Amino acid sequence: MTGQVRTVDGRVAGRRGQATRQKLLDCLSEMLSSSPYRDVKVIDVARKAGTSPATFYQYFPDVEGAVLEIAEQMAAEGAGLTELLEGRSWTGKAGWQTAQELVDGFLDFWRKNDAILRVVDLGAAEGDKRFYKIRMKILNSVNNSLTNTVKELQAKGKVDKDVSPAAMAGSLVAMLAAVASHQKGFQSWGVKQAELKPNLALLVHMGVTGRKPTR
Amino acid sequence: MTGQVRTVDGRVAGRRGQATRQKLLDCLSEMLSSSPYRDVKVIDVARKAGTSPATFYQYFPDVEGAVLEIAEQMAAEGAGLTELLEGRSWTGKAGWQTAQELVDGFLDFWRKNDAILRVVDLGAAEGDKRFYKIRMKILNSVNNSLTNTVKELQAKGKVDKDVSPAAMAGSLVAMLAAVASHQKGFQSWGVKQAELKPNLALLVHMGVTGRKPTR
DNA sequence: CGGTAAGCTGACGGCATGACAGGACAAGTG
DNA sequence: CACTTGTCCTGTCATGCCGTCAGCTTACCG
């Protein structure tokens, strides 16, 4: 599916080359966690990887290109978020648990990948379609699942007809993503993680089912 | 309160100087709308303003410093968002209208200032306290007001006791901000503005009051 | 008109970028 | 072992942006 890994000038990369490439990606990833995106320089990444800037340019057109690569890897993992929703029930106590586990899983994933997700978010907001697509890829798994759930409940008459399933799901997913990327902010706002999660779960549950959960 | 405008080397700016300074800010602002934050260069801003890079450095320590200035100006305007909530009712039809107007005003403000808000969001997410403070300044007006409303309703027994007002308000505000900054994204997701707003209002209303609105 | 401070810029060393050609290295072949 | 081949890395270079300084121009004031 992914095809062969290639250098910028078209040659296929061997075992050694791929190792170097991956090391550069790892170092870039680390760099993104510790310094502002704007200040990440090719030369620093190369130095950290114990190689030269020229090597970097052999594998990536520029910093952005490498970031896209990292984001792509993360998006592949992120597809696993679907499991948080597949075959889950949204009724009764099970529904409350579904909501809680969704929030939990989502926040965990975001915390694990916060640095790269920040950059993806920026790129998407700036209108870059490549970043936007990656963001979609991650959120779509959750979003589609939520959209379908709302549609089903709507068909059964359990949710108001004038709710737009896609808009509702999108809003909830956007909320989760936003809260996740500002988790530290909330803490210094005087809100503790332990308080945050139940509230998010509550909002998700009410948004999807239109009702308060039974706990 | 703001004191005199000063150059980097400590001189006070006169009429002419302030005009140049403002022109640089305007050009930077325009630049942020049209090109990625990472690619905004001092020399481009200076050229656009019909001046030299050296002049830029006379008024700002670097690009980030100038961005903070623009953000500060915007934050001052953003304090006006409080009006969307002051003295509003959250009961009955009036409550539904309050929620709708909050969503409307919020999305408008964000769309007007999307370029600079993107950068502020990034800075805050990266842990820069100066950007974080500005983000707070904008969101706090709405956040505090919502927090108080939830507290009051809770005191009257109309909202569950185990809801944390601060967490709930923060989550809702984060949702509004996130949806606002990805408005274009929603559109290509197949969700229309007209559908989005009522759904956001619904979530806000349910989050604050714990009940579905009466329309 | 002369003094003073504000305002602007040319020019410079320093550093990142991105391209290239060539050297180092591993693996296969006779 | 010598030789070949193809991959992989780096030294080096032209280019362009960064951030600073001394010095020139402009505006204001007595």
Side-chain angles (χ1 to χ4, degrees):
Chain A
M1 185 56 139
T2 49
Q4 283 170 313
V5 177
R6 286 180 175 275
T7 58
V8 165
D9 54 339
R11 278 181 300 191
V12 292
R15 240 182 313 126
R16 197 145 103 88
Q18 288 198 28
T20 307
R21 198 182 125 101
Q22 191 56 48
K23 186 161 195 178
L24 284 167
L25 286 177
D26 292 344
C27 290
L28 171 56
S29 199
E30 206 172 315
M31 212 109 221
L32 286 173
S33 312
S34 60
S35 53
Y37 178 47
R38 203 169 193 284
D39 297 342
V40 171
K41 307 291 180 192
V42 170
I43 197 169
D44 296 322
V45 177
R47 257 202 287 264
K48 199 179 186 76
T51 179
S52 85
T55 303
F56 182 95
Y57 287 106
Q58 197 153 46
Y59 295 107
F60 311 103
D62 49 26
V63 173
E64 205 185 71
V67 166
L68 275 167
E69 195 73 24
I70 297 176
E72 209 82 62
Q73 289 180 8
M74 179 200 57
E77 289 174 42
L81 288 173
T82 321
E83 289 175 19
L84 294 169
L85 284 169
E86 226 150 54
R88 302 297 173 106
S89 158
W90 281 96
T91 56
K93 285 190 181 178
W96 175 235
Q97 191 166 356
T98 301
Q100 279 180 306
E101 285 174 9
L102 173 60
V103 169
D104 247 14
F106 210 95
L107 260 57
D108 272 354
F109 178 76
W110 228 261
R111 192 171 32 235
K112 255 180 228 151
N113 303 96
D114 65 335
I116 188 70
L117 281 165
R118 275 198 301 265
V119 181
V120 171
D121 248 33
L122 175 68
E126 278 175 344
D128 187 310
K129 286 184 184 171
R130 297 166 304 172
F131 283 111
Y132 179 66
K133 223 170 163 180
I134 288 176
R135 194 168 184 274
M136 283 258 294
K137 195 171 172 182
I138 299 169
L139 298 185
N140 254 351
S141 52
V142 176
N143 192 58
N144 288 340
S145 192
L146 278 184
T147 305
N148 287 334
T149 305
V150 176
K151 270 186 194 162
E152 285 168 23
L153 290 175
Q154 213 172 30
K156 290 183 194 164
K158 295 195 173 181
V159 170
D160 288 358
K161 290 230 170 186
D162 49 1
V163 167
S164 155
M168 179 59 80
S171 301
L172 290 174
V173 168
M175 174 182 72
L176 289 176
V179 171
S181 70
H182 288 288
Q183 280 177 86
K184 285 179 192 167
F186 271 92
Q187 281 168 28
S188 61
W189 212 327
V191 177
K192 288 169 194 165
Q193 278 263 333
E195 297 174 327
L196 195 52
K197 285 183 178 179
N199 275 283
L200 286 172
L202 178 60
L203 276 169
V204 168
H205 191 279
M206 288 199 297
V208 173
T209 67
R211 302 161 184 274
K212 287 189 196 176
T214 49
R215 322 198 188 194
Chain B
M1 187 51 144
T2 49
Q4 283 169 311
V5 178
R6 286 180 175 276
T7 58
V8 166
D9 55 338
R11 280 180 300 193
V12 292
R15 240 182 313 126
R16 195 145 100 93
Q18 288 198 30
T20 306
R21 198 182 124 101
Q22 191 57 49
K23 186 161 195 177
L24 283 166
L25 287 177
D26 292 343
C27 289
L28 171 56
S29 199
E30 210 175 320
M31 239 112 205
L32 287 173
S33 311
S34 60
S35 53
Y37 177 48
R38 199 166 197 283
D39 297 340
V40 172
K41 307 290 180 192
V42 170
I43 197 170
D44 296 323
V45 177
R47 257 201 287 265
K48 199 179 185 76
T51 179
S52 86
T55 302
F56 183 96
Y57 287 105
Q58 196 153 49
Y59 294 107
F60 310 104
D62 49 26
V63 173
E64 203 184 73
V67 166
L68 275 166
E69 194 74 23
I70 297 176
E72 208 82 62
Q73 289 180 8
M74 181 201 56
E77 289 174 40
L81 288 173
T82 320
E83 288 175 18
L84 294 169
L85 285 168
E86 225 150 53
R88 301 297 172 105
S89 157
W90 281 97
T91 56
K93 286 190 181 178
W96 176 235
Q97 191 165 356
T98 301
Q100 279 181 304
E101 284 174 10
L102 172 60
V103 170
D104 246 14
F106 210 95
L107 260 57
D108 272 354
F109 178 77
W110 227 262
R111 191 170 33 234
K112 256 179 225 152
N113 303 96
D114 65 336
I116 187 71
L117 280 164
R118 276 198 300 265
V119 182
V120 171
D121 249 33
L122 174 68
E126 278 176 343
D128 188 310
K129 287 186 183 171
R130 297 165 303 172
F131 283 110
Y132 180 67
K133 222 171 165 180
I134 289 176
R135 195 168 182 273
M136 283 258 296
K137 195 170 172 181
I138 299 169
L139 298 185
N140 252 352
S141 52
V142 176
N143 191 60
N144 288 339
S145 192
L146 278 184
T147 304
N148 287 333
T149 305
V150 176
K151 271 187 195 163
E152 283 170 23
L153 291 174
Q154 212 170 31
K156 289 183 194 165
K158 295 195 174 182
V159 170
D160 288 357
K161 292 237 169 184
D162 50 0
V163 167
S164 155
M168 179 59 80
S171 302
L172 289 173
V173 167
M175 173 183 71
L176 289 176
V179 172
S181 70
H182 288 288
Q183 281 177 85
K184 285 178 193 168
F186 272 93
Q187 282 168 29
S188 60
W189 214 327
V191 177
K192 288 169 193 165
Q193 278 263 332
E195 298 174 326
L196 195 53
K197 285 182 178 179
N199 275 283
L200 287 172
L202 178 60
L203 276 169
V204 169
H205 191 278
M206 288 199 297
V208 172
T209 67
R211 301 160 184 277
K212 287 189 197 177
T214 49
R215 320 198 187 194

